Amino acid sequence: MKLGFLTACLPQLPLAEIAGWAAAHDYDALEVATWPSTGSRDFEASHIDVTGFGKAEADQVRALFEQHSLTLSALAYYENNLHPDRGRRAEIAAHVRANVDAAALLGVEYVGTFIGRHPGLSVKENIAQAERELPALVEYAGERGVKIIIENCVMEGWHPDGYPGNLAYSPELWEWMFGLGFYLNYDPSHLLWLGIDPVAALKPYLDRIPHAQAKDAQLDPRARDRFGFFGRTVERTDGWDSGWWRYRVPGLGDVDWRRLVDTFYEGGFTGVLSVEHEDPVWSGDVERVTRGLEIAHRTLRPLILG
């Protein structure tokens, strides 16, 4: 197992600077953000431009990672593959395919994204649409030796009422998407606030989890007593603010990392555990973000044997 982090938390820095920092601070890998542009929401970045990406660009990226003895664990483009606008949905699918092409040139096995959801359709209708449209992406990736890994983020901010905006948030949905040929980029933080035991949910599916993200969540049960499980309603001005839980870097929330990492080892996991830094306390500028990554490293490094 290797310890890495997702570069999306540092959108203002070039990849070369991030790689240098990661190597100097005892990280083994980077999950590299590949959005085509930034600004539509927090925690996205464009550290590799996969459009028009060719052999020369691939050689440059490989040389950078070799220089710092780092692994490029996955390309990361987490978007709504069931977007309600047909044109936007086609753009997203095209960028997923561009990520697959870039991954194949780089020798990277994984491209990360979301299933997503059309908020104007029922879950049943979304599932039918996904079954019609998404297997083509899996086939495209498979032909190029790449696996598409789906993060289990709930993406409640994509739904006008705070309901799940990514139909990959539970083990039931994981089993469904495995049937379409997807793999899971497992993140325990989302399970925690959903009331799902992250360890119990992990154990049966390790053969479909080649890559994982390390993000923590801090719960406030007293605030939940006011707002209920679905979070703020009348007082909600930000679709991502439930009012009773928030993301933290590993070690500052309620995930039991000792049990979780032990379960990964017990199940034979040999992939990358990639810190996804979305902690509001350790955000705002490069210095605070990197301090957050240092806190995550101090929490996880003693548990990872290398």
Side-chain angles (χ1 to χ4, degrees):
M1 193 186 314
K2 294 182 178 180
L3 180 60
F5 65 86
L6 173 60
T7 65
C9 60
L10 291 166
Q12 62 275 69
L13 296 185
L15 183 59
E17 189 170 341
I18 295 172
W21 186 93
H25 290 80
D26 192 35
Y27 275 96
D28 307 313
L30 292 176
E31 179 184 1
V32 179
T34 60
W35 276 262
S37 61
T38 59
S40 65
R41 71 171 187 265
D42 292 337
F43 307 112
E44 65 178 41
S46 184
H47 287 128
I48 292 179
D49 181 2
V50 297
T51 58
F53 191 85
K55 183 179 182 303
E57 291 79 10
D59 288 345
Q60 290 174 358
V61 172
R62 277 197 300 268
L64 173 66
F65 277 73
E66 289 170 4
Q67 174 190 346
H68 294 291
S69 300
L70 292 171
T71 296
L72 203 173
S73 65
L75 299 184
Y77 174 57
Y78 293 98
E79 276 294 352
N80 186 355
N81 282 281
L82 297 177
H83 196 283
D85 181 89
R86 184 185 298 271
R88 177 66 182 131
R89 194 161 71 246
E91 290 175 357
I92 291 168
H95 200 68
V96 172
R97 289 193 294 272
N99 270 271
V100 168
D101 293 339
L105 282 171
L106 288 163
V108 172
E109 293 185 71
Y110 310 115
V111 168
T113 191
F114 292 138
I115 296 292
R117 179 181 183 173
H118 185 322
L121 300 178
S122 68
V123 171
K124 184 177 181 179
E125 290 168 327
N126 271 276
I127 286 175
Q129 181 176 317
E131 290 174 350
R132 288 193 305 269
E133 298 185 11
L134 299 189
L137 290 178
V138 175
E139 183 177 359
Y140 186 89
E143 290 171 349
R144 289 154 180 81
V146 175
K147 295 180 175 68
I148 297 181
I149 54 174
I150 303 295
E151 188 196 343
N152 55 296
C153 185
V154 183
M155 296 307 291
E156 68 284 354
W158 278 353
H159 193 284
D161 294 316
Y163 301 147
N166 175 36
L167 296 179
Y169 58 84
S170 68
E172 178 191 22
L173 287 165
W174 302 348
E175 292 173 3
W176 162 73
M177 74 180 193
F178 295 157
L180 300 182
F182 292 108
Y183 290 77
L184 177 63
N185 193 9
Y186 168 93
D187 183 331
S189 64
H190 311 298
L191 299 168
L192 195 70
W193 72 264
L194 286 172
I196 299 171
D197 180 343
V199 173
L202 173 63
K203 286 183 177 181
Y205 303 108
L206 277 160
D207 64 329
R208 299 292 295 191
I209 301 173
H211 192 279
Q213 290 184 334
K215 187 162 74 263
D216 216 328
Q218 184 178 32
L219 312 184
D220 183 349
R222 294 185 66 182
R224 185 178 56 203
D225 287 343
R226 169 172 172 77
F227 298 120
F229 170 83
F230 295 105
R232 299 180 193 271
T233 51
V234 176
E235 301 175 16
R236 194 169 189 148
T237 58
D238 179 350
W240 303 102
D241 179 16
S242 73
W244 70 269
W245 64 268
R246 60 181 179 172
Y247 293 128
R248 303 303 309 271
V249 292
L252 298 182
D254 298 317
V255 171
D256 186 338
W257 292 102
R258 187 174 297 275
R259 284 185 63 222
L260 197 71
V261 172
D262 184 58
T263 301
F264 273 117
Y265 274 119
E266 184 180 1
F269 179 80
T270 57
V272 170
L273 186 59
S274 177
V275 174
E276 185 181 20
H277 180 353
E278 297 185 357
D279 189 324
V281 177
W282 294 102
S283 295
D285 56 45
V286 170
E287 182 179 2
R288 291 190 68 82
V289 170
T290 54
R291 289 294 298 275
L293 290 171
E294 290 171 3
I295 293 168
H297 181 276
R298 286 200 298 270
T299 299
L300 296 172
R301 176 53 78 194
L303 305 177
I304 296 175
L305 304 177

